Amino acid sequence: MKNNKIYPSALFALILSAGISETIAAPEEIPGSNLTVDFAESVLSGAGRLIRATNIPVQSAGTTVYYDVEMDFSTLADGSFGAKLISATPSTGPVAPTSVSTMNFLPGTYAGIVSGAPAAALPCFFSLEAPSIGADGRRTYILTITSSGTGCPAGVTSYSWQTGPAANNSIISSGFSRVGSNFETQSSLTYSYGTEISSAGATVRTQQIGNTLTIEQVNTSASTFSGAKKLTLIKQ
């Protein structure tokens, strides 16, 4: 029986093979599955060593699911040169170009209030800086509070997070970023992980959908919990 589960590694292998094989203007089946994929319908972009394929259509039994895949070209563990997967996340497809992003957050001014704030709370304003890019291709973002309204999270001055998987993330604690840790195994490529800049230094996960930036406090299992702070910010 063919396996119809969508594995990011299968998409990754197909992107690499697409660059060196003959172009066929039709969907192709992923070997060992009943899934088909058509990179001709996706959008490729890149900068430096990074390459991104957005809105890759993957079909199974007449149902289409779209994926965004991000890769970094560098020296691999065995010393050879090649591409490694940074993330593979579902997207909303070409009809909604502002799909979920864990790579390209939108710098600019944001406004919103922390969860649990009074209905009449004044919004808090933030500034998201353009990212710095490390040697491993990860992007580090800093979001700073610029105007402290009553809807601001108490004691927090800014947030910082890093794109890519939780494993080897230099922003979060080493116990969380260690490969095989409970946090790392429970984390998701749908989010980027980082910390709030405060005396507590809580760990957070971040995600951008269109102009909406979400920041949520998480526990040692990379999950939200009762009473956790959550910010839903809108780009101005």
Side-chain angles (χ1 to χ4, degrees):
M1 178 183 295
K2 291 186 176 181
N3 184 2
N4 63 358
K5 184 176 181 179
I6 300 175
Y7 291 97
S9 57
L11 295 177
F12 178 54
L14 278 165
I15 285 183
L16 293 181
S17 64
I20 57 176
S21 63
E22 181 181 358
T23 300
I24 300 175
E28 291 189 71
E29 186 178 87
I30 298 175
S33 76
N34 65 351
L35 305 173
T36 62
V37 63
D38 187 2
F39 290 108
E41 299 298 323
S42 67
V43 177
L44 291 175
S45 60
R49 302 196 321 265
L50 302 176
I51 187 169
R52 190 180 195 214
T54 60
N55 297 326
I56 303 170
V58 180
Q59 294 186 335
S60 174
T63 300
T64 301
V65 177
Y66 291 89
Y67 275 80
D68 291 346
V69 174
E70 294 154 351
M71 295 175 293
D72 171 42
F73 285 83
S74 60
T75 302
L76 304 180
D78 62 1
S80 64
F81 176 77
K84 59 183 178 180
L85 183 68
I86 296 177
S87 67
T89 57
S91 72
T92 52
V95 295
T98 54
S99 56
V100 174
S101 175
T102 57
M103 183 70 169
N104 296 312
F105 292 86
L106 303 176
T109 299
Y110 288 79
I113 61 175
V114 68
S115 57
L122 296 176
C124 188
F125 285 85
F126 297 81
S127 176
L128 180 61
E129 302 174 10
S132 60
I133 303 178
D136 59 357
R138 291 176 183 255
R139 301 184 181 193
T140 298
Y141 289 87
I142 297 177
L143 179 76
T144 305
I145 294 178
T146 57
S147 176
S148 299
T150 53
C152 283
V156 178
T157 59
S158 59
Y159 293 88
S160 179
W161 63 88
Q162 196 171 79
T163 60
N168 301 314
N169 182 313
S170 64
I171 300 295
I172 60 178
S173 72
S174 58
F176 286 174
S177 64
R178 176 177 51 82
V179 175
S181 69
N182 183 60
F183 188 96
E184 189 271 332
T185 57
Q186 299 296 318
S187 63
S188 169
L189 289 175
T190 303
Y191 298 96
S192 292
Y193 294 91
T195 61
E196 61 178 28
I197 310 302
S198 67
S199 57
T203 302
V204 297
R205 67 185 187 186
T206 62
Q207 183 186 72
Q208 179 135 21
I209 303 178
N211 287 325
T212 301
L213 174 63
T214 303
I215 302 172
E216 299 175 287
Q217 188 177 355
V218 293
N219 57 22
T220 57
S221 298
S223 301
T224 58
F225 55 92
S226 177
K229 290 194 290 288
K230 179 180 180 178
L231 277 166
T232 303
L233 307 177
I234 306 300
K235 191 173 187 298
Q236 304 300 291

